[in-house]
Amino acid sequence: MYTATTATQKVLRLNKRIRAVQGGTSASKTVSILLVLIDLAQTKAEAPLLISIVSESFPHLRRGVMRDFLLIMQTQGYFIDARWDKTNSIYTFETGNQIEFFSVDQSEKVRGAHTR
């Protein structure tokens, strides 16, 4: 079970379009942000959202935030294998909202708008 850490409480208080979360190593920043994004993707009922999680390289992304995302989804019983596009690293929620993972070394994702 995940509890509201200091980092989670800080993330929940942020309300600007671009949000920065500071903290040391093992400060639960990644997990806290993922919990908020998963909640948003599961509950947002308006026009479908595309949430992008970006890292410096794909191996870094896969070993870090993507691993945490999949662990949270599986541990909480949210993960449905058919909704995980492993090739494109996109999870589509029941709401139609998506969380995609890509790295800045995938230049085509960074240069132009990604469309559904």
Side-chain angles (χ1 to χ4, degrees), residues 55-75:
S55 186
E56 62 194 43
S57 70
F58 203 77
H60 182 264
L61 190 67
R62 189 174 26 250
R63 285 190 313 268
V65 69
M66 193 180 302
R67 181 180 290 167
D68 290 340
F69 171 78
L70 294 171
L71 180 64
I72 291 167
M73 293 291 288
Q74 291 165 347
T75 302

Side-chain angles (χ1 to χ4, degrees), residues 27-42:
S28 79
K29 297 178 302 294
T30 301
V31 170
S32 296
I33 292 167
L34 282 171
L35 290 172
V36 170
L37 293 177
I38 290 168
D39 181 62
L40 177 65
Q42 289 177 324

Side-chain angles (χ1 to χ4, degrees), residues 72-116:
I72 291 167
M73 293 291 288
Q74 291 165 347
T75 302
Q76 297 301 310
Y78 301 150
F79 186 79
I80 298 170
D81 192 55
R83 295 188 171 278
W84 176 237
D85 177 349
K86 192 172 185 177
T87 302
N88 294 306
S89 302
I90 299 172
Y91 190 85
T92 304
F93 291 82
E94 292 83 359
T95 58
N97 296 330
Q98 296 178 317
I99 294 182
E100 69 174 351
F101 300 85
F102 67 91
S103 63
V104 291
D105 63 1
Q106 294 174 289
S107 60
E108 68 280 0
K109 292 276 191 168
V110 177
R111 288 190 187 131
H114 179 68
T115 59
R116 292 179 177 245

